[in-house]
Amino acid sequence: MEIYDNDLNAEIIGFGALNVDKLYSVDRIVSHDEESFIKNETVTPGGSAANTIVGLARLGCSTSIIGKIAEDEDGDLIEYNLAINGVYTNNLIYSDNGSTGKCMGFVDKNGERCLYISPGVNDDIKIGEINPLNIMRCKIMHYTSFVGDSFNTQIELLEKLSKETLLSFDPGMLYVEKGFEALEPILERCDILLINEHELRLLCNNSNDDLKELCVGLLDFGISTIVVKQGSKGAFAINNSEECFVEAFECDAVDTTGAGDSFNSGFLYSFLKGYNLEKSCKIGNWVASRAIQGFGMEKFPTAKELEEFF
C-alpha cells in the first residue's frame, strides 16, 4: 500500500517524462548514410520536467515531480538525483515491470544535439496513480511532453487542479506535432506558455507572420503569459500589460540539451517572486547560459550564485 506524505506541499510541481540521458560527444552530427565516431559518453538524469524542477530546487524553490520510474538502476539514479537536489519525491510512481525511460543524445563540438527517446514506463501513468491531496496546494503545475498515453492523463488531471494553481506548459516538439486541436484542452487551461519560435510557428500553422502577432493571437485565446525562447538570440515575452525582448548571455556552450528547460527554471522562479517580464527573461537567460556550460544538470546554478549575479 502506497503511503502519501501530504505535508510535503511543493510550490511548483512538474509533470513529465523522467529519463536517464546517455549523451555522446561527437565532432559532428551525421546525416543519412554518413559515419562518425563517439569521443566520450556522459550518463546523467534528465527529462524536460525534471531538468526544470531540479533547476528550481537549486534556486531555492520547494518542488516535486509527477513521473514514473521502474525498479532498475536508471530509476534509482533518477530518484537519487531528485533527492540530493532537494526535490520532494512523494509524487514519484514506481512500476514493478518495464524499464525506466532513456534519452540517447549526440552532442557536437558546438553544443548542438539530436535526441532519440525510449519512453519505457513513462507512457503508462494512470490518473489513479496520482494522489490529488499531494498537488492541491501547489502554486504552479508545470507540464512537459510524453511520447504516448500519459498525455491523456495530463488532460484528465486538469479537472483536479485547484483554480488557484497556475498551469505552465512547455509542449516541446513532440506535443506541437500533435496539432493545436489535440493540445486545446491544455492550452485552454494554460496560464504560462513556454515555447521556442519554431514550435510556436508550427503550432499556429504559420511561418511568416510577425512573432508578436502570433503571440497576441494566443493572448486572445486566453493564455495569460507567452514566452518565446529563441536560443542564442534571447527570448521574447508578452502578456496583457507588457512585452519585452531580452538578449541571451554569451557563453561557451558545451551541451545545449537542457537550455530551454533551465530557462524555464529561471523564468518560473522569477514569476513566483513577482518580477516583471524583462527581469524574469533576463534571469531565465542567465540560468540557461550557466546550464549549457556543462553536461546534464552539473552546471545548474544555485540561489547563492544567482544572488551574486545580481
Side-chain angles (χ1 to χ4, degrees):
M1 177 179 176
E2 188 89 32
I3 298 175
Y4 299 101
D5 188 343
N6 298 323
D7 293 329
L8 301 179
N9 286 288
E11 294 176 290
I12 303 182
I13 298 177
F15 188 1
L18 292 171
N19 298 314
V20 168
D21 293 342
K22 300 177 186 288
L23 304 174
Y24 302 95
S25 296
V26 296
D27 277 332
R28 65 188 183 91
I29 297 169
V30 299
S31 300
H32 182 66
D33 282 340
E34 292 185 329
E35 294 183 9
S36 186
F37 62 93
I38 294 169
K39 296 192 292 185
N40 57 65
E41 174 185 355
T42 303
V43 178
T44 180
S48 182
N51 289 338
T52 296
I53 290 302
V54 167
L56 282 159
R58 289 172 68 88
L59 292 173
C61 298
S62 61
T63 63
S64 181
I65 188 164
I66 301 169
K68 198 166 198 175
I69 56 176
E71 299 284 354
D72 55 21
E73 289 185 5
D74 288 339
D76 291 343
L77 177 60
I78 287 173
E79 185 174 17
Y80 175 74
N81 179 68
L82 294 173
I84 64 171
N85 281 292
V87 178
Y88 297 154
T89 58
N90 59 324
N91 287 302
L92 280 183
I93 303 165
Y94 302 89
S95 175
D96 294 331
N97 303 306
S99 59
T100 299
K102 299 175 183 61
C103 173
M104 294 182 63
F106 298 88
V107 185
D108 70 14
K109 59 186 177 182
N110 297 315
E112 299 300 325
R113 81 291 195 268
C114 66
L115 305 175
Y116 296 85
I117 309 296
S118 175
V121 298
N122 280 311
D123 285 338
D124 191 32
I125 299 176
K126 310 299 182 189
I127 193 67
E129 296 176 303
I130 301 170
N131 182 7
L133 295 177
N134 283 359
I135 65 172
M136 63 187 303
R137 285 191 281 178
C138 74
K139 295 178 181 177
I140 298 177
M141 175 67 69
H142 179 63
Y143 274 15
T144 62
S145 62
F146 289 96
V147 172
D149 290 343
S150 294
F151 167 69
N152 298 318
T153 304
Q154 288 180 316
I155 293 176
E156 290 181 73
L157 187 65
L158 295 175
E159 297 181 358
K160 299 183 182 296
L161 294 181
S162 165
K163 292 181 180 179
E164 284 72 41
T165 297
L166 300 176
L167 181 66
S168 167
F169 184 35
D170 186 340
M173 187 56 69
L174 285 175
Y175 275 11
V176 166
E177 288 177 340
K178 291 178 180 290
F180 193 95
E181 185 176 349
L183 297 181
E184 194 165 351
I186 298 177
L187 293 171
E188 286 179 338
R189 179 61 175 79
C190 179
D191 298 284
I192 307 165
L193 180 64
L194 299 155
I195 192 168
N196 70 39
E197 183 173 356
H198 177 64
E199 293 164 354
L200 175 66
R201 294 190 180 281
L202 183 60
L203 180 68
C204 297
N205 196 26
N206 191 308
S207 59
N208 298 316
D209 280 2
D210 178 74
L211 186 63
K212 180 179 176 180
E213 290 180 13
L214 296 178
C215 292
V216 168
L218 292 174
L219 290 176
D220 293 341
F221 181 75
I223 300 173
S224 302
T225 301
I226 297 128
V227 182
V228 184
K229 295 172 282 187
Q230 297 178 283
S232 60
K233 287 168 45 179
F236 173 77
I238 188 169
N239 59 26
N240 287 312
S241 59
E242 56 181 319
E243 66 178 85
C244 66
F245 171 77
V246 179
E247 292 185 350
F249 290 84
E250 291 188 7
C251 66
D252 294 325
V254 173
D255 173 26
T256 61
T257 302
D261 304 329
S262 53
F263 174 93
N264 294 347
S265 298
F267 185 88
L268 293 175
Y269 164 87
S270 305
F271 194 93
L272 275 181
K273 293 287 187 181
Y275 299 156
N276 63 22
L277 283 185
E278 184 174 1
K279 185 171 182 179
S280 297
C281 287
K282 183 176 182 180
I283 292 175
N285 282 340
W286 179 79
V287 172
S289 73
R290 291 295 302 274
I292 66 176
Q293 293 181 53
F295 284 99
M297 304 173 188
E298 65 182 31
K299 290 293 185 179
F300 279 32
T302 63
K304 182 180 179 180
E305 290 170 325
L306 177 58
E307 183 179 351
E308 291 172 351
F309 167 68
F310 276 99

